Amino acid sequence: MKHLSYLLVSILSLLSVAACSQAEAGRPRDFTVTFSPVEAGGFIPLKTQKDHSLPAPVYAFTHRKNPHIHANAFRVGLLYRSKYGIELFYNFAMGTRYAAAGIEDYLAQAYPAYEAPKRTLTVARDYKADWKGWQGAVFYRIRLNGHLYLEPKLQCGFETFSQGNAAFYLKEKGSNQFTEYFVNADRQQVKAPSFHYILNTSWMLNPNAKNIKIEPGLKAEYFRMNVDLDYTITQSPYGFPDKTGHYSVNQAIRGLILALYLKMHY
């Protein structure tokens, strides 16, 4: 995180020098530096037809996703003639959670002679997947009036996707026989591209300011990512050999992000 801070400060400093040099030369400023210190909102997962093509145990584990908090910070950009912009930032807080009820319902149906499955090896209510990495964006800025702006934006990233595991304990009804059931991602981290289609709506608080202009806004973002993952499903009945299944899947992550953000122009 320290190296990331140094890099963002360096980029911001270079862009500031470029903008200031035009002002000192007495020319109209073609370039404006932008900086978004924070954005926060929510991630709403979306189901896709692709989910239904997954093998039954994997589908049961992953298809129920819960809304999750979305937060990010330190987005820097450069705006040309108040219309054409580019941005760069490091995504460090994106993810979703799989609801444990999905795999629990599947196990209850697959093992009707056993009591309701109980989670083991974890006390978390849900199982998390997240992704972190660099993202870049291009956008076009539309001024609707003196204060109100729209920004259609295309954003792409190349990120590290991390997948959690699950473990359950199954006890046979009327006996002491039990089975442990594991869902494991063979590779805990994989690289994958992500694609983001964004529409920003913002309000310039002080459009006539000479130095720093402040602009709060609302972001609506559609997000998509496909991740190639390998799963191993292991059933371990007490006193008997393990039964394993191996699955290679292309897992779809889709979602809608709604967030508030603050942007500064210099």
Side-chain angles (χ1 to χ4, degrees), residues 97-119:
R97 292 184 180 274
Y98 302 123
I103 188 70
E104 288 174 352
D105 290 348
Y106 168 79
L107 292 175
Q109 295 176 11
Y111 294 86
Y114 286 75
E115 296 177 356
K118 298 180 181 179
R119 277 159 273 176

Side-chain angles (χ1 to χ4, degrees), residues 63-74:
H63 82 288
R64 291 193 190 178
K65 304 181 185 73
N66 289 333
H68 195 246
I69 295 173
H70 166 82
N72 242 304
F74 309 125

Side-chain angles (χ1 to χ4, degrees), residues 117-142:
K118 298 180 181 179
R119 277 159 273 176
T120 66
L121 306 183
T122 178
V123 295
R125 181 180 178 185
D126 304 309
Y127 302 101
K128 186 178 180 182
D130 58 34
W131 45 95
K132 301 177 182 180
W134 287 101
Q135 294 187 18
V138 294
F139 62 90
Y140 181 73
R141 189 168 168 85
I142 303 169

Side-chain angles (χ1 to χ4, degrees), residues 45-89:
L46 301 176
K47 295 183 178 181
T48 71
Q49 196 64 32
K50 190 178 182 66
D51 291 340
H52 297 282
S53 65
L54 298 176
V58 177
Y59 172 76
F61 177 53
T62 63
H63 82 288
R64 291 193 190 178
K65 304 181 185 73
N66 289 333
H68 195 246
I69 295 173
H70 166 82
N72 242 304
F74 309 125
R75 184 190 296 259
V76 295
L78 190 63
L79 188 62
Y80 177 66
R81 293 190 174 179
S82 300
K83 290 185 178 181
Y84 311 98
I86 58 173
E87 286 183 332
L88 179 68
F89 76 106

